[in-house]
Amino acid sequence: MDDNSAVKIADPGRRAAAYWFADGLPELAYGTALAISEGATLLLGLYLRTLPMLLVTIAGYLALIVLFAWEHSVVGLIKARITYPRTGYVQPPGTDFDPSSSVQTLGLTPESSARRNFSWFRGRIVLLLMVVPQALQVFDQPWALPALMVLLALLFYFTSRESEVPVSLISAVLLALLGFVPMLIGFPLRGRVFVAGLLGGLWLMARGLWKLALYLHNHPTPRVNAGAGA
Amino acid sequence: MNPQAQELGQLDRIIHEPARLAIMMILHGAGEADFVYLQREGGFTQGNLSSHLLKLEEAGYVKIEKTFKGRVPLTLCRLTPKGGDAFLEYSRRMVQVLQRGTTLAKAK
């Protein structure tokens, strides 16, 4: 599904940021939290009005809040068992790029400025998947959801090419196509906001799982723990 | 003495070695990284990386710390403030030398 664009990044800081996403775990974590919270809200709003579902919804949103606050710790705990023994540890990326920390390193062109280890993943992809679907409340039309998903897919595809989490063409097409599923199965209009969030969460989960499977396939468990080297 | 040659002679010899320069660049961009990550990123063998890290540590440019993430033992490496300054100074000098070289080449 996804290509390996991260390996084409030359800057050490950007490579380190891309490395955080190499195993798909951050996408899997955010996708799961998003799918649970939006899915539970959808079920609660449309079909069920029982207390346990309310608790599941609250738990889903809490999981998202925890992830936003402690992503590096939460995902890092899983990475400590899966990623670090296989391919090593590097400092997790920050979420803001500080231009003042940029310095010119080797090279004669302005583009050779060193960039720090930071990530736009949460701001560009996770937040957009949560916030943009709210626009559906304005458009009371069946085509609004597919149009929104196509728009998101285009946005992600074109804005992420140079980022640490590039969205491949296949992945973007998949997201766009997901938007047509509720229309095809005749899903009621009033739950579309949460359907969009749910589909976005499932899309992130699928990306994360695919990347994790590829990562585990390409990096089998090391026989000797080389992490204690030097 | 040729001023360019003089400038080249003033470059920090510890950093100027390609493997150590690669280590410094990776650590400068990434923050802290462990031994396995450095080995993969730089394409080093264990022994090669160990010896270069030791030289950088002796110069006070890199701090090496044995620690744990979860239950996994890691050998964490990061630039010291002295190492960061030395790297920036090296970069500045090298850029100057290269820029002068380019200007001279264009003049010909």
Side-chain angles (χ1 to χ4, degrees):
Chain A
M1 185 162 72
D2 280 352
D3 58 23
N4 291 321
S5 302
V7 296
K8 293 171 195 159
I9 298 172
D11 178 83
R14 303 300 295 137
R15 284 182 65 84
Y19 177 70
W20 180 252
F21 301 93
D23 52 16
L25 286 172
E27 284 155 295
L28 190 55
Y30 276 111
T32 306
L34 194 61
I36 288 175
S37 62
E38 302 288 309
T41 310
L42 182 70
L43 282 176
L44 183 72
L46 286 181
Y47 304 113
L48 301 166
R49 293 181 188 279
T50 54
L51 190 60
M53 284 312 296
L54 179 65
L55 287 177
V56 171
T57 310
I58 292 170
Y61 278 111
L62 275 178
L64 270 176
I65 292 166
V66 167
L67 270 179
F68 266 88
W70 295 299
E71 179 201 348
H72 296 162
S73 309
V74 173
V75 177
L77 275 175
I78 309 167
K79 280 177 176 278
R81 300 186 80 88
I82 295 175
T83 316
Y84 302 156
R86 288 177 166 84
T87 51
Y89 162 86
V90 72
Q91 185 177 312
T95 49
D96 296 310
F97 174 52
D98 177 12
S100 65
S101 68
S102 174
V103 290
Q104 191 169 9
T105 54
L106 304 180
L108 298 174
T109 58
E111 291 76 27
S112 64
S113 294
R115 301 178 80 189
R116 302 291 292 168
N117 176 2
F118 73 100
S119 161
W120 276 320
F121 170 69
R122 287 189 343 191
R124 276 195 181 164
I125 293 185
V126 179
L127 272 176
L128 283 177
L129 282 175
M130 291 171 69
V131 174
V132 172
Q134 302 302 320
L136 289 172
Q137 289 169 338
V138 180
F139 302 100
D140 196 19
Q141 298 293 331
W143 50 260
L145 178 59
L148 179 87
M149 297 307 261
V150 169
L151 186 72
L152 276 175
L154 288 171
L155 193 67
F156 291 162
Y157 178 71
F158 286 110
T159 61
S160 71
R161 298 314 300 155
E162 301 296 320
S163 83
E164 76 289 352
V165 189
V167 174
S168 68
L169 184 62
I170 296 171
S171 190
V173 168
L174 183 69
L175 179 66
L177 289 178
L178 277 174
F180 290 89
V181 174
M183 197 169 75
L184 291 174
I185 62 172
F187 195 84
L189 282 178
R190 66 191 173 106
R192 289 172 313 156
V193 176
F194 301 112
V195 169
L198 174 64
L199 293 175
L202 292 174
W203 176 70
L204 273 184
M205 281 175 73
R207 278 174 56 92
L209 279 172
W210 176 257
K211 282 165 86 169
L212 182 61
L214 280 182
Y215 176 83
L216 292 176
H217 175 74
N218 293 332
H219 306 285
T221 313
R223 273 183 235 163
V224 182
N225 192 343
Chain B
M1 187 179 181
N2 182 316
Q4 245 189 316
Q6 200 174 359
E7 273 187 19
L8 276 171
Q10 288 171 351
L11 286 173
D12 189 329
R13 296 294 175 96
I14 294 171
I15 301 178
H16 195 57
E17 202 284 328
R20 290 196 286 273
L21 178 58
I23 294 169
M24 296 289 280
M25 280 178 74
I26 293 167
L27 290 178
H28 181 259
E32 62 180 15
D34 82 333
F35 192 85
V36 179
Y37 181 83
L38 284 175
Q39 203 183 332
R40 290 183 69 251
E41 277 291 290
F44 304 116
T45 62
Q46 263 196 352
N48 198 9
L49 179 58
S50 288
S51 69
H52 287 302
L53 278 175
L54 193 65
K55 281 192 178 140
L56 289 170
E57 192 184 28
E58 281 169 357
Y61 290 172
V62 168
K63 188 182 176 192
I64 300 172
E65 187 186 353
K66 302 248 181 191
T67 184
F68 283 85
K69 292 277 177 194
R71 288 180 181 176
V72 182
L74 298 177
T75 304
L76 282 187
C77 310
R78 66 174 74 91
L79 288 189
T80 61
K82 184 185 171 187
D85 291 344
F87 178 68
L88 293 184
E89 179 59 21
Y90 173 87
S91 303
R92 193 185 61 77
R93 280 182 190 275
M94 188 55 120
V95 167
Q96 275 179 357
V97 171
L98 290 173
Q99 275 172 338
R100 282 194 195 143
T102 311
T103 312
L104 283 174
K106 278 180 184 169
K108 282 183 181 178

